[in-house]
Amino acid sequence: MQLKPPNQIEHIGIAVKNLETSVKFYTEVLGLKCLGYEVVESEKVRVAFIEIGETRLELVEPISSDSPISQFIEKKGEGIHHIALRVENADEHLKNMKAHGVKLINDKPKQGAHGNLVAFLHPKSTNGILLEFCQPQRRE
């Protein structure tokens, strides 16, 4: 079985301190559409997805001081946190990355927003960019 490469950017994750203020900028100032809010307990964040063309922006606000996003904002400030690549089989992509010596943050996909399966690659193996494999369960 040949592994299909990622077929598009699923979303770009942006770490924010205040979700409501950030959503207002993207919707009221830029005129984009907010697709809704969701809490992702496993990451201790609240997210809002903003539609822009075929992709989305994921605004990510920490809901706990020990959230990875809280730590990111404390260290680097608000801004781009990750780029999510849409894949058909996140588990197979992780196996492929491991076989190529890529450092993984997640050895197995876990449930993310919208019921998607997600897994992250370590920035030390991806030129400083936190990449996420995102296997959509459904598209809103």
Side-chain angles (χ1 to χ4, degrees):
M1 173 182 126
Q2 185 173 353
L3 189 61
K4 290 184 181 179
N7 56 21
Q8 79 175 63
I9 293 176
E10 170 64 27
H11 64 265
I12 298 170
I14 302 171
V16 301
K17 292 179 183 176
N18 185 296
L19 198 56
E20 281 73 25
T21 301
S22 298
V23 167
K24 281 183 182 181
F25 170 76
Y26 287 96
T27 59
E28 295 176 12
V29 178
L30 290 179
L32 300 173
K33 179 182 176 185
C34 179
L35 299 173
Y37 295 81
E38 184 175 346
V39 172
V40 182
E41 293 290 346
S42 65
E43 298 298 314
K44 300 176 185 174
V45 296
R46 191 165 67 109
V47 301
F49 281 92
I50 306 294
E51 184 176 56
I52 181 163
E54 292 183 9
T55 193
R56 297 178 289 177
L57 302 176
E58 179 188 37
L59 305 178
V60 188
E61 174 192 63
I63 58 174
S64 172
S65 61
D66 62 343
S67 163
I69 294 297
S70 182
Q71 295 164 14
F72 176 88
I73 290 172
E74 190 175 304
K75 184 176 178 182
K76 297 185 178 186
E78 294 179 291
I80 293 177
H81 179 260
H82 66 274
I83 298 173
L85 306 177
R86 183 182 295 181
V87 296
E88 290 182 12
N89 188 323
D91 195 48
E92 289 300 315
H93 277 280
L94 289 173
K95 289 176 186 172
N96 184 49
M97 293 297 104
K98 196 170 189 176
H100 281 88
V102 174
K103 186 174 181 179
L104 306 177
I105 291 176
N106 306 109
D107 289 325
K108 294 277 184 201
K110 60 183 177 176
Q111 189 164 349
H114 304 300
N116 294 340
L117 293 178
V118 301
F120 290 89
L121 309 180
H122 200 285
K124 288 183 179 178
S125 292
T126 59
N127 302 102
I129 303 296
L130 179 61
L131 290 180
E132 174 186 6
F133 286 142
C134 182
Q135 179 182 330
Q137 298 303 305
R138 67 184 195 278
R139 180 74 175 185
E140 299 201 12

